[in-house]
Amino acid sequence: MTREEYANILLPGVKHTWQEYEEMYPERNLKEGAIVSRYAPSPTGFVHIGALLTTFINYKMARQTDGVFYLRVEDTDQKRSIDDGINRIIEDLAKFDIKFDEGVTKAGDKGSYGPYTQSERKDIYWAFAKKLIAEDKAYPCFCTEEENKNDRAVQEKNGERLGYYGKWAKCRNLSMEEVLEKINNGEKYIIRLKSNGDFNKKFTFKDCIKGKVEFPESDEDIVIIKSDGLPTYHFAHAVDDHLMRTTHVIRGEEWFSSIPKHTQLFVMLGFKVPKYAHISPLMIEDNGTRRKISKRKDPEAAISYYHEKGIPNKAIMLYLETVANSNFEMWMEQNKDKSTDEFILDFKKMSTGGTMFDYDKLINISKNYISRLRASEIYDLALEHAKTYNEKFAKILEKYKDYSTKVFNIEREQKKPRKDIAYFSDTENQTWYMYEELFTPTSYEWQNINDKKEIELILNTYVNDYYNINDDKQTWFDKMKKMSESLGYAGDMKAYKANPDNYKGNIADVSMVIRVALTSKSMTPDLYEIMKLLGTENIQKRIKKALQA
Ligand code: GLU
């Protein structure tokens, strides 16, 4: 019996040979330097912030080199897959403007390197497992889980390295006859790699981010085909990334220690080893120690956390881009008129030791980002957020679309825009006093002037003798000044500071009374603009209300 025939018995019924598969998935015809990268999630339906960072880097690397970015579904661990998991991932990523050139889409596969779902590629994995068996680089293993467990226990007890290698690899040297006999007896088997590595030998590996690192060779006879006929992650990674012609495997650092196994697989399969880039994790401080941000422990690991808070997706991306390359922020500062798409990400500038997740920085980026938006964009985002999280406020925004846009436009579309909104869950809190339906102050934040009589005097004088909705800003201000002086307050700050004792206070104290009476708040955007929007009727109503408070 030839080894090919033997391989056919072990993995029967494969439609194509590995050579045919090689021809079906030829080298991609891309310009030099083009990066082919991928996002390869298990369909668990949940994109967390670390995965988003990795995906973004993959996406951007392909984009900036005119390469290809594709989506592959890694569902060989069928226990972990959830229904609709992949659609949820696609939807989540689309919100962040991460789009795939190729791979799984909601409407099926797109591209000529598919199928892009691992459970549909069984035949392909088998073809390559057969290649290894035929070349005596893989073999069937009949060891039961029980036996493996016992061996592990002995290894642990003796302080030996764990795993299926060397003398522990019991099925490694079974002859073809022994194997065929076991199969005839109905014994179940999996397929293992016949490792050619020597654990006592070292090799140097060059990671795009981490640089050169020394590893011992792998001597483990790792499983390549499991008992359910599907490949392990390791084997599928090698076969898929080779056939899909991935140039760069950009993935989370948790895979770094698998490098000896993975590079060995590529070499033993006769494949060119792709470039690897291992992204260090986002870290969090927990009781004085640093640890990886965790899906289970940290609410801020979930993207839904930011959606609920109302941080715009674009702001999250800007933050992640600063995590990816710390010079990004400076670049943005220096290239305000350019699209961030023009920034070139560089593996060499990526962190090798883990980056602290900096929530305050994210909020700050969000605040700056929102401040540069147009009022109509802010309106849209605020409404979108409110529709999901604050129905009552959404109704108000919908009812007063024009008015709300004007409210958001106060101190907005100008050189130094107001940076009041950092996230949209706070919009009602910041603008409620601009809506009659919501204006029910529980207290008034009076400041320097809080004597009831004096407040009354100022408010009455203002409404009766000075206020006119048609005044332009300069007139409005001049009147405020004049009124202040007439009531014994300094009309300008210089005069006040020179002789504070000559006055009851100054123009700022007087206008504060009007501000608080109209909004109940001591901190608001520009009072003149607020008054313009509120209009005479409301102003009078509110002053009356304040006088009664
Ligand atoms: N399915 C693997 C994961 O979800 C992919 C790792 C890789 O990018 O190769 O971690």
Side-chain angles (χ1 to χ4, degrees):
M1 185 187 290
T2 65
R3 288 206 66 92
E4 278 79 17
E5 286 164 343
Y6 175 62
N8 267 334
I9 293 173
L10 292 174
L11 298 172
V14 177
K15 289 195 276 303
H16 296 284
T17 63
W18 65 268
Q19 290 93 338
E20 284 166 340
Y21 281 122
E22 287 285 358
E23 272 167 34
M24 282 159 70
Y25 305 108
E27 284 286 356
R28 291 169 185 270
N29 198 2
L30 295 170
K31 72 166 201 209
E32 183 149 347
I35 288 182
V36 179
S37 62
R38 80 293 193 275
Y39 179 43
S42 299
T44 51
F46 177 55
V47 178
H48 64 92
I49 188 116
L52 186 60
L53 171 66
T54 306
T55 313
F56 168 68
I57 294 173
N58 269 289
Y59 162 75
K60 177 110 180 169
M61 284 297 176
R63 236 353 33 83
Q64 73 188 23
T65 56
D66 293 326
V68 177
F69 175 55
Y70 69 88
L71 175 63
R72 180 171 76 222
V73 177
E74 306 218 321
D75 60 346
T76 57
D77 184 356
Q78 307 225 303
K79 286 194 291 288
R80 288 179 56 211
S81 304
I82 63 160
D83 284 351
D84 207 34
I86 206 66
N87 283 344
R88 277 157 62 180
I89 290 174
I90 294 172
E91 277 164 24
D92 271 356
L93 294 177
K95 288 184 200 144
F96 292 95
D97 272 335
I98 294 185
K99 296 194 188 83
F100 297 94
D101 305 305
E102 203 179 289
V104 176
T105 75
K106 282 171 112 179
D109 277 359
K110 176 175 145 198
S112 38
Y113 287 81
Y116 295 91
T117 299
Q118 289 185 332
S119 58
E120 293 166 25
R121 299 171 60 79
K122 189 172 145 187
D123 211 70
I124 302 176
Y125 304 121
W126 280 30
F128 283 90
K130 276 172 62 179
K131 173 185 198 282
L132 291 177
I133 294 168
E135 292 170 0
D136 199 18
K137 292 174 184 162
Y139 62 89
C141 169
F142 299 86
C143 292
T144 60
E145 281 193 19
E146 192 62 33
E147 284 171 274
N148 290 338
K149 220 168 103 193
N150 290 341
D151 282 355
R152 258 174 187 276
V154 178
Q155 286 171 335
E156 249 165 32
K157 197 166 134 245
N158 300 347
E160 289 185 64
R161 199 153 48 83
L162 302 183
Y164 201 90
Y165 62 90
K167 67 172 187 219
W168 303 98
K170 297 198 196 99
C171 296
R172 183 179 168 109
N173 295 317
L174 291 178
S175 67
M176 271 197 220
E177 291 69 29
E178 286 169 311
V179 165
L180 295 176
E181 197 186 318
K182 279 176 181 290
I183 293 177
N184 276 338
N185 293 339
E187 283 189 47
K188 296 259 171 293
Y189 55 92
I190 55 172
I191 307 292
R192 286 185 183 272
L193 183 76
K194 200 173 210 174
S195 169
N196 62 0
D198 176 350
F199 188 73
N200 296 314
K201 278 202 194 134
K202 296 224 162 26
F203 71 101
T204 305
F205 168 79
K206 193 161 171 267
D207 187 84
C208 296
I209 298 173
K210 297 179 173 299
K212 283 190 183 152
V213 181
E214 254 199 3
F215 279 106
E217 288 181 5
S218 168
D219 61 355
E220 271 188 72
D221 287 355
I222 56 167
V223 179
I224 57 174
I225 303 288
K226 301 181 292 178
S227 56
D228 59 4
L230 288 172
T232 52
Y233 164 72
H234 306 305
F235 192 57
H237 154 51
V239 172
D240 291 349
D241 282 314
H242 168 69
L243 288 183
M244 295 178 185
R245 309 293 167 179
T246 307
T247 62
H248 288 64
V249 174
I250 306 168
R251 62 184 181 185
E253 196 185 54
E254 65 272 24
W255 295 110
F256 191 53
S257 58
S258 301
I259 277 298
K261 288 178 188 144
H262 292 174
T263 50
Q264 181 183 54
L265 265 173
F266 273 88
V267 173
M268 288 184 73
L269 279 158
F271 301 160
K272 180 172 171 226
V273 182
K275 290 205 162 64
Y276 284 92
H278 288 90
I279 300 176
S280 19
L282 283 167
M283 312 290 283
I284 213 156
E285 188 134 331
D286 184 359
N287 273 329
T289 54
R290 293 176 92 199
R291 63 162 172 80
K292 232 171 110 166
I293 200 164
S294 139
K295 276 203 256 190
R296 272 180 306 109
K297 292 189 206 147
D298 307 312
E300 60 269 55
I303 297 302
S304 53
Y305 177 84
Y306 305 95
H307 287 161
E308 204 171 317
K309 189 99 186 156
I311 297 177
N313 290 330
K314 180 70 188 170
I316 300 175
M317 290 324 271
L318 292 175
Y319 171 66
L320 290 181
E321 199 149 357
T322 69
V323 170
N325 268 186
S326 55
N327 60 322
F328 172 66
E329 251 180 314
M330 199 155 70
W331 181 91
M332 256 209 308
E333 213 33 59
Q334 291 164 351
N335 296 279
K336 285 204 173 85
D337 47 339
K338 286 195 183 147
S339 152
T340 50
D341 293 347
E342 288 182 52
F343 177 73
I344 301 291
L345 264 192
D346 185 352
F347 283 127
K348 292 200 191 74
K349 293 202 176 84
M350 289 185 192
S351 147
T352 53
T355 311
M356 283 310 280
F357 175 70
D358 189 343
Y359 186 70
D360 294 341
K361 187 166 180 177
L362 169 58
I363 295 293
N364 209 26
I365 287 177
S366 183
K367 197 183 276 182
N368 280 312
Y369 169 72
I370 295 173
S371 79
R372 287 192 299 270
L373 295 178
R374 306 180 64 82
S376 58
E377 293 172 304
I378 296 198
Y379 173 83
D380 290 344
L381 288 171
L383 177 61
E384 186 188 313
H385 180 269
K387 274 184 175 166
T388 316
Y389 300 101
N390 186 350
E391 232 176 285
K392 179 191 75 179
F393 190 53
K395 289 215 173 90
I396 298 266
L397 287 174
E398 275 174 325
K399 190 164 160 195
Y400 303 109
K401 179 169 178 183
D402 272 3
Y403 177 79
S404 301
T405 310
K406 284 183 189 146
V407 169
F408 290 131
N409 203 29
I410 298 178
E411 291 177 61
R412 180 72 48 199
E413 292 166 21
Q414 59 189 32
K415 196 153 183 258
K416 278 216 159 112
R418 194 174 156 77
K419 295 186 180 174
D420 48 351
I421 307 172
Y423 36 82
F424 289 103
S425 54
D426 211 23
T427 8
E428 180 182 354
N429 200 18
Q430 284 176 341
T431 57
W432 61 278
Y433 57 80
M434 293 305 290
Y435 301 92
E436 277 314 286
E437 276 108 315
L438 301 178
F439 187 69
T440 45
T442 46
S443 65
Y444 283 86
E445 297 170 359
W446 304 114
Q447 301 293 304
N448 291 349
I449 305 174
N450 51 26
D451 174 72
K452 208 160 177 199
K453 283 245 147 55
E454 194 63 19
I455 292 173
E456 268 175 31
L457 175 69
I458 293 173
L459 294 178
N460 283 325
T461 312
Y462 189 59
V463 212
N464 297 331
D465 307 342
Y466 289 91
Y467 175 67
N468 179 348
I469 186 84
N470 298 318
D471 287 343
D472 63 19
K473 194 160 186 181
Q474 190 57 48
T475 314
W476 176 89
F477 183 76
D478 290 344
K479 281 186 175 175
M480 193 70 79
K481 189 168 165 168
K482 214 165 143 205
M483 178 179 79
S484 302
E485 282 164 358
S486 80
L487 296 175
Y489 293 85
D492 75 82
M493 294 308 277
K494 241 210 211 130
Y496 177 72
K497 279 195 185 131
N499 288 302
D501 296 341
N502 292 355
Y503 304 98
K504 287 203 263 177
N506 59 56
I507 182 170
D509 300 327
V510 174
S511 51
M512 177 60 83
V513 168
I514 297 166
R515 180 188 308 273
V516 177
L518 294 179
T519 64
S520 81
K521 317 257 317 151
S522 56
M523 299 255 286
T524 74
D526 188 77
L527 183 57
Y528 171 76
E529 294 198 41
I530 287 181
M531 289 173 74
K532 273 256 168 220
L533 285 177
L534 286 177
T536 306
E537 199 184 313
N538 285 334
I539 288 176
Q540 280 169 346
K541 241 180 12 199
R542 288 187 180 199
I543 286 191
K544 223 189 215 164
K545 198 172 192 163
L547 287 171
Q548 285 157 5

